[in-house]
Amino acid sequence: MASGYDREVTTDSSAGERRVHPTVDRLAAYSWRLLVVAAAGWAVLRLLDALRLVVFPVIVALFLTVALAAPARALRRRGLPPLAAAWAVFLGFLATVAGVVALVVPALAEEFSQVPPTIADAFGRIETWLVEDSPVPVDRARLDQLQSQLGETLRNSVASPGGFVLQGAVLFAEVVAGLLLALVLTFFFVKDGERFQRAALRAFPEERRELVGRLAGRAWDTLAGYLRGAAALGAVEATIMGITLVAVSGGLILPVVVLTFVAAFVPFVGAAAAGIVAVLVTMVTAGFVPALIVAGVALVVQQLDNDLLAPVVYGKALDLHPVVVLLAVAGGASVAGFVGA
């Protein structure tokens, strides 16, 4: 009886050559093709990172265009020229944003100004509890030494040529430039979106254009569904956290609710950061036990969000099965972290 190795590799005595089993040959072919695809994907990711000042404004502009394209089409159907419809929708959007900022920001500014000292007070109470009441003995001198070392590290990082100040200034400049570019792109996407579509379709063979057009329409509907899903999740999480803070008599409810809603658009990291802020604020304004209650609710909400709400909400909004959404999010996070998620 031939061994397993003999079944995989046989010897042709007449030719003096070794013939590889077809299965092994196919696996080798697939392997090098996968390596080529992986290398190409890595190169594309590096290129997108290098062009982030262009890529991210385009992404933001696409999201804004999804929201503004429908009213622009409605105005054009009523006989308004494309340029006038684009200006009307774009200026209406800017006026709406300015009105919301004028109404909400002054009301939130006073409460938000209390968040940093409130969080600092919370950290002070945690330090006191660790030293005086913690079941594990903690030496205050050692704790002060760690704080001093951390402060020195932060100061060195800020003072260094590539420190936080320079990085923050560069990031701020990129954000401002990106937002301005995104607004300009949004206007032209709303005005000339159909022209861009026709130009893109002409790049494909004529027999493929109908299929490509249908796929592009599905992709556009999916993008709109993602926005609706993120807004729905943010509304649910913000409502639950707001009700919890009212129930435990916590303070700074409006800033925490606004932060929770906005953070829902940032996968995983946003919800965790908003939950931590809510717990620290409650610890100072209501006490330790209410803070534990808020922490428990935040933990449950985040687990429901990641494992139940997000797959179901995004599944309905994107017309995908919840299992597909859950596996896609988990796989993306495993491969590329935050960006992959």
Side-chain angles (χ1 to χ4, degrees), residues 279-301:
V279 171
L280 293 176
V281 168
T282 307
M283 181 181 297
V284 173
T285 59
F288 185 73
V289 174
L292 287 179
I293 296 174
V294 172
V297 172
L299 183 62
V300 171
V301 168

Side-chain angles (χ1 to χ4, degrees), residues 291-314:
L292 287 179
I293 296 174
V294 172
V297 172
L299 183 62
V300 171
V301 168
Q302 290 177 25
Q303 291 302 315
L304 289 176
D305 179 10
N306 296 335
D307 300 332
L308 180 61
L309 290 178
V312 172
V313 171
Y314 283 129

Side-chain angles (χ1 to χ4, degrees), residues 45 327-341:
L45 291 176
L327 293 178
V329 174
S334 300
V335 172
F338 169 73
V339 176

Side-chain angles (χ1 to χ4, degrees), residues 224-237 261 264-266 313-314 317:
Y226 170 78
L227 284 179
R228 291 193 299 268
L233 284 177
V236 170
E237 294 172 2
F261 177 79
F265 290 87
V266 183
V313 171
Y314 283 129

Side-chain angles (χ1 to χ4, degrees), residues 18 47 65 89 129 152 296:
R18 304 173 80 182
L47 179 62
T65 305
V89 171
W129 178 81
E152 184 66 23

Side-chain angles (χ1 to χ4, degrees), residues 44-205:
V44 169
L45 291 176
R46 295 285 296 179
L47 179 62
L48 292 177
D49 180 67
L51 297 175
R52 61 184 179 273
L53 193 57
V54 175
V55 173
F56 286 111
V58 170
I59 294 174
V60 173
L62 286 175
F63 280 117
L64 293 176
T65 305
V66 168
L68 300 180
R73 284 195 301 268
L75 290 177
R76 287 198 296 269
R77 284 196 298 267
R78 292 178 177 272
L80 209 61
L83 179 60
W87 273 115
V89 171
F90 190 72
L91 293 178
F93 166 73
L94 294 180
T96 301
V97 172
V100 171
V101 170
L103 292 175
V104 175
V105 169
L108 292 178
E110 183 178 354
E111 290 196 59
F112 267 115
S113 65
Q114 302 175 29
V115 173
T118 300
I119 294 178
D121 190 9
F123 278 114
R125 295 191 181 190
I126 292 175
E127 177 183 348
T128 301
W129 178 81
L130 287 174
V131 174
E132 298 178 359
D133 302 323
S134 173
V136 179
V138 177
D139 183 31
R140 182 177 290 275
R142 177 58 179 167
L143 199 60
D144 292 340
Q145 182 182 3
L146 291 175
Q147 290 179 345
S148 176
Q149 292 175 354
L150 179 60
E152 184 66 23
T153 302
L154 291 176
R155 284 190 293 271
N156 292 336
S157 299
V158 170
S160 64
F164 292 147
V165 173
L166 179 60
Q167 294 177 3
V170 172
L171 179 61
F172 178 77
E174 289 184 353
V175 169
V176 172
L179 287 177
L180 292 176
L181 180 58
L183 290 175
V184 174
L185 291 175
T186 300
F187 173 79
F188 284 108
F189 286 170
V190 173
K191 173 181 174 292
D192 300 322
E194 295 181 356
R195 183 189 302 179
F196 292 148
Q197 293 175 20
R198 291 192 295 268
L201 287 177
R202 284 197 294 269
F204 294 90

